Amino acid sequence: NPDISPSETLPDTDPSVFHKRYLKKMRDLGEGHFGKVTLYLYDPANDGTGELVAVKALKQDNGHVPEGWIKEIEILKSLYHSNIVKYKGCCTELGQVVQLIMEYLPLGSLQKYLPTHKLGMSRCLMFAQQICQGMEYLHSKRYIHRDLAARNVLVENESLVKIGDFGLTKYIPEGEIYYRVREDGDSPVFWYAIECLKESKFSFSSDIWSFGVTLYEILTRCDHRQSPPVKFFEMMDGAQGQMTVMVLIKQLEKQQRLPRPKDCPHEMKMLMEQCWAADPAQRPSFRYLIEKFEAIRQ
Ligand SMILES: C=Cc1cc(F)c(CN2CC[C@](CC#N)(n3cc(C(N)=O)c(NC(=O)OC)n3)[C@H](F)C2)cc1O
């Protein structure tokens, strides 16, 4: 339309800048150790026609912004993949970045979706392959996730899932193999590789172990009676009843692993066991897992 000058059609504001005053709180989506994720309507026109967004905010402690928080925002901002939740922007307050704005996936996590949608095996394997594709991309940028689990995978629709949270993601510098941290608070120990439990050594290979547990969750349709914590407690031959990290390590050192889910194809059982190899070097890569899923799903 020749008589409208470009300046009348181009937006003159940065779409990745969100103003706190236009964020209308809807409800909480999740709670983490250091903060929470909340559903907001971003409604600058103040007429309810805005868009729903998922907002991650840290529990503010005396106003200083932890260095890891900026890192998490920078990491998500740099990721572009169909199986990774989209970064939308930031909301700053007093010039400090305080909130991370992401796309909202109303179907929520696999942990909530699977028990109520009876998915067939082929759909489960399709989701598993998509998680591997998102993770292969993440590893290609030298990031390790450190918290891969069904609760952190979101459902876009019945044919698409995305890795939705990067709260524990770390960069592994060139030439390094491990990332070492002093674990604190509620670490997801039942998703942790044996070397993470024993020496806090995280690597690309420890993400593979966590993927194996995530695949187990998918094959059990996230039935809470078969959840990793429940099954590991059951395997503890119920004696002392007190599960500690030491007891879990002993079980894993005795080569005990999560049981084969009902109706689980033998090939999937083999794949999970490869992901749970005691030696990190023996575990497959996400590239290898993608090819396995391609072959099985043909
Ligand atoms: C500050 C740290 C921190 C705080 C937390 F609450 C959590 C846990 N949280 C992660 C994000 C979460 C699950 C995933 N993936 N989710 C994202 C969406 C979305 N983008 O739409 C969504 N949708 C939904 O539930 O729709 C019905 N759930 C869910 F909030 C749990 C992890 C943390 O590191």
Short mmCIF file of all heavy atoms in Angstrom, two decimals, residues 151-177:
data_model
loop_
_atom_site.label_atom_id
_atom_site.label_comp_id
_atom_site.label_asym_id
_atom_site.label_seq_id
_atom_site.Cartn_x
_atom_site.Cartn_y
_atom_site.Cartn_z
N ARG A 151 9.12 -34.06 33.89
CA ARG A 151 8.50 -32.84 34.46
C ARG A 151 9.01 -31.57 33.77
O ARG A 151 8.37 -30.52 33.86
CB ARG A 151 8.79 -32.77 35.97
CG ARG A 151 10.25 -32.61 36.30
CD ARG A 151 10.56 -32.54 37.80
NE ARG A 151 12.01 -32.55 38.01
CZ ARG A 151 12.72 -33.67 38.07
NH1 ARG A 151 12.10 -34.85 37.99
NH2 ARG A 151 14.03 -33.63 38.20
N ASN A 152 10.16 -31.69 33.08
CA ASN A 152 10.73 -30.52 32.39
C ASN A 152 10.61 -30.60 30.88
O ASN A 152 11.30 -29.88 30.16
CB ASN A 152 12.21 -30.35 32.80
CG ASN A 152 12.34 -29.81 34.19
OD1 ASN A 152 11.48 -29.05 34.66
ND2 ASN A 152 13.39 -30.19 34.88
N VAL A 153 9.74 -31.50 30.40
CA VAL A 153 9.44 -31.58 28.97
C VAL A 153 7.99 -31.14 28.78
O VAL A 153 7.09 -31.63 29.46
CB VAL A 153 9.63 -33.01 28.43
CG1 VAL A 153 9.23 -33.09 26.94
CG2 VAL A 153 11.09 -33.46 28.60
N LEU A 154 7.79 -30.17 27.87
CA LEU A 154 6.44 -29.61 27.66
C LEU A 154 5.80 -30.18 26.40
O LEU A 154 6.50 -30.52 25.44
CB LEU A 154 6.53 -28.08 27.52
CG LEU A 154 6.97 -27.33 28.76
CD1 LEU A 154 7.25 -25.89 28.44
CD2 LEU A 154 5.91 -27.45 29.86
N VAL A 155 4.46 -30.24 26.41
CA VAL A 155 3.70 -30.76 25.27
C VAL A 155 3.11 -29.57 24.50
O VAL A 155 2.31 -28.80 25.06
CB VAL A 155 2.58 -31.70 25.73
CG1 VAL A 155 1.79 -32.24 24.53
CG2 VAL A 155 3.15 -32.85 26.54
N GLU A 156 3.53 -29.40 23.25
CA GLU A 156 2.96 -28.33 22.39
C GLU A 156 1.63 -28.81 21.82
O GLU A 156 0.63 -28.12 21.85
CB GLU A 156 3.95 -27.99 21.28
CG GLU A 156 3.40 -27.09 20.18
CD GLU A 156 3.33 -25.63 20.60
OE1 GLU A 156 4.36 -25.08 21.03
OE2 GLU A 156 2.23 -25.05 20.52
N ASN A 157 1.66 -30.04 21.29
CA ASN A 157 0.44 -30.68 20.78
C ASN A 157 0.70 -32.18 20.73
O ASN A 157 1.78 -32.64 21.12
CB ASN A 157 0.05 -30.12 19.41
CG ASN A 157 1.15 -30.30 18.38
OD1 ASN A 157 1.69 -31.41 18.22
ND2 ASN A 157 1.54 -29.22 17.72
N GLU A 158 -0.26 -32.95 20.20
CA GLU A 158 -0.12 -34.42 20.28
C GLU A 158 1.01 -34.96 19.41
O GLU A 158 1.27 -36.17 19.42
CB GLU A 158 -1.43 -35.08 19.89
CG GLU A 158 -1.87 -34.75 18.48
CD GLU A 158 -3.22 -35.34 18.12
OE1 GLU A 158 -3.93 -35.80 19.05
OE2 GLU A 158 -3.54 -35.37 16.92
N SER A 159 1.70 -34.03 18.68
CA SER A 159 2.83 -34.51 17.86
C SER A 159 4.12 -33.75 18.14
O SER A 159 5.09 -33.91 17.40
CB SER A 159 2.50 -34.34 16.37
OG SER A 159 1.27 -34.91 16.09
N LEU A 160 4.14 -32.91 19.16
CA LEU A 160 5.34 -32.09 19.38
C LEU A 160 5.58 -31.83 20.86
O LEU A 160 4.68 -31.36 21.57
CB LEU A 160 5.21 -30.75 18.63
CG LEU A 160 6.38 -29.77 18.75
CD1 LEU A 160 7.66 -30.39 18.18
CD2 LEU A 160 6.06 -28.46 18.06
N VAL A 161 6.81 -32.14 21.30
CA VAL A 161 7.22 -31.82 22.67
C VAL A 161 8.48 -30.96 22.62
O VAL A 161 9.21 -30.96 21.63
CB VAL A 161 7.49 -33.09 23.51
CG1 VAL A 161 6.21 -33.86 23.77
CG2 VAL A 161 8.55 -33.98 22.88
N LYS A 162 8.70 -30.20 23.71
CA LYS A 162 9.85 -29.29 23.80
C LYS A 162 10.47 -29.36 25.18
O LYS A 162 9.75 -29.50 26.17
CB LYS A 162 9.41 -27.83 23.57
CG LYS A 162 8.67 -27.56 22.27
CD LYS A 162 8.42 -26.08 22.10
CE LYS A 162 7.75 -25.77 20.76
NZ LYS A 162 7.76 -24.30 20.49
N ILE A 163 11.77 -29.25 25.25
CA ILE A 163 12.43 -29.15 26.54
C ILE A 163 12.10 -27.76 27.08
O ILE A 163 12.27 -26.76 26.37
CB ILE A 163 13.95 -29.36 26.41
CG1 ILE A 163 14.20 -30.77 25.83
CG2 ILE A 163 14.63 -29.22 27.77
CD1 ILE A 163 15.57 -30.98 25.26
N GLY A 164 11.54 -27.72 28.30
CA GLY A 164 10.91 -26.48 28.75
C GLY A 164 11.61 -25.72 29.86
O GLY A 164 11.24 -24.59 30.17
N ASP A 165 12.62 -26.30 30.49
CA ASP A 165 13.25 -25.58 31.60
C ASP A 165 14.74 -25.82 31.60
O ASP A 165 15.18 -26.95 31.37
CB ASP A 165 12.66 -26.04 32.94
CG ASP A 165 13.14 -25.14 34.08
OD1 ASP A 165 12.66 -24.00 34.18
OD2 ASP A 165 14.05 -25.56 34.81
N PHE A 166 15.50 -24.76 31.84
CA PHE A 166 16.98 -24.85 31.79
C PHE A 166 17.59 -24.31 33.08
O PHE A 166 18.66 -23.70 33.07
CB PHE A 166 17.48 -24.10 30.54
CG PHE A 166 17.01 -24.75 29.26
CD1 PHE A 166 15.75 -24.50 28.74
CD2 PHE A 166 17.82 -25.69 28.62
CE1 PHE A 166 15.29 -25.14 27.60
CE2 PHE A 166 17.37 -26.34 27.46
CZ PHE A 166 16.11 -26.06 26.96
N GLY A 167 16.91 -24.60 34.21
CA GLY A 167 17.33 -24.05 35.50
C GLY A 167 18.70 -24.52 35.97
O GLY A 167 19.36 -23.80 36.71
N LEU A 168 19.12 -25.72 35.56
CA LEU A 168 20.42 -26.24 36.03
C LEU A 168 21.44 -26.36 34.91
O LEU A 168 22.51 -26.92 35.08
CB LEU A 168 20.22 -27.61 36.71
CG LEU A 168 19.34 -27.62 37.96
CD1 LEU A 168 19.25 -29.03 38.54
CD2 LEU A 168 19.87 -26.64 39.00
N THR A 169 21.10 -25.78 33.73
CA THR A 169 21.97 -25.92 32.56
C THR A 169 23.30 -25.20 32.76
O THR A 169 23.33 -24.08 33.28
CB THR A 169 21.24 -25.36 31.31
OG1 THR A 169 20.05 -26.13 31.13
CG2 THR A 169 22.11 -25.47 30.06
N LYS A 170 24.38 -25.86 32.37
CA LYS A 170 25.72 -25.28 32.50
C LYS A 170 26.49 -25.42 31.19
O LYS A 170 26.28 -26.38 30.46
CB LYS A 170 26.52 -25.99 33.61
CG LYS A 170 25.91 -25.90 34.99
CD LYS A 170 25.95 -24.50 35.55
CE LYS A 170 25.29 -24.44 36.92
NZ LYS A 170 25.02 -23.05 37.33
N TYR A 171 27.44 -24.50 30.97
CA TYR A 171 28.30 -24.55 29.79
C TYR A 171 29.55 -25.35 30.14
O TYR A 171 30.13 -25.17 31.22
CB TYR A 171 28.69 -23.13 29.37
CG TYR A 171 29.63 -23.07 28.20
CD1 TYR A 171 29.18 -23.35 26.91
CD2 TYR A 171 30.98 -22.77 28.38
CE1 TYR A 171 30.04 -23.31 25.83
CE2 TYR A 171 31.85 -22.73 27.29
CZ TYR A 171 31.37 -23.00 26.02
OH TYR A 171 32.22 -22.98 24.96
N ILE A 172 29.93 -26.29 29.23
CA ILE A 172 31.16 -27.04 29.46
C ILE A 172 32.25 -26.47 28.53
O ILE A 172 32.14 -26.58 27.31
CB ILE A 172 30.97 -28.54 29.14
CG1 ILE A 172 29.99 -29.16 30.14
CG2 ILE A 172 32.32 -29.25 29.19
CD1 ILE A 172 30.25 -30.58 30.52
N PRO A 173 33.27 -25.80 29.10
CA PRO A 173 34.29 -25.16 28.25
C PRO A 173 34.98 -26.18 27.34
O PRO A 173 35.06 -27.36 27.67
CB PRO A 173 35.29 -24.58 29.26
CG PRO A 173 34.56 -24.51 30.55
CD PRO A 173 33.57 -25.63 30.53
N GLU A 174 35.45 -25.70 26.20
CA GLU A 174 36.20 -26.56 25.26
C GLU A 174 37.30 -27.30 26.03
O GLU A 174 37.93 -26.72 26.92
CB GLU A 174 36.87 -25.68 24.19
CG GLU A 174 35.93 -24.81 23.39
CD GLU A 174 35.27 -25.59 22.25
OE1 GLU A 174 35.79 -26.67 21.91
OE2 GLU A 174 34.24 -25.13 21.75
N GLY A 175 37.48 -28.56 25.67
CA GLY A 175 38.60 -29.29 26.26
C GLY A 175 38.27 -29.87 27.62
O GLY A 175 38.97 -30.72 28.14
N GLU A 176 37.15 -29.40 28.23
CA GLU A 176 36.75 -29.99 29.52
C GLU A 176 35.78 -31.13 29.25
O GLU A 176 35.17 -31.19 28.20
CB GLU A 176 36.04 -28.95 30.39
CG GLU A 176 36.74 -27.62 30.49
CD GLU A 176 37.45 -27.48 31.82
OE1 GLU A 176 36.88 -27.95 32.83
OE2 GLU A 176 38.56 -26.93 31.84
N ILE A 177 35.67 -32.02 30.25
CA ILE A 177 34.69 -33.10 30.09
C ILE A 177 33.60 -32.97 31.14
O ILE A 177 32.43 -33.15 30.89
CB ILE A 177 35.36 -34.49 30.26
CG1 ILE A 177 36.43 -34.69 29.19
CG2 ILE A 177 34.31 -35.59 30.18
CD1 ILE A 177 37.14 -36.02 29.30
#
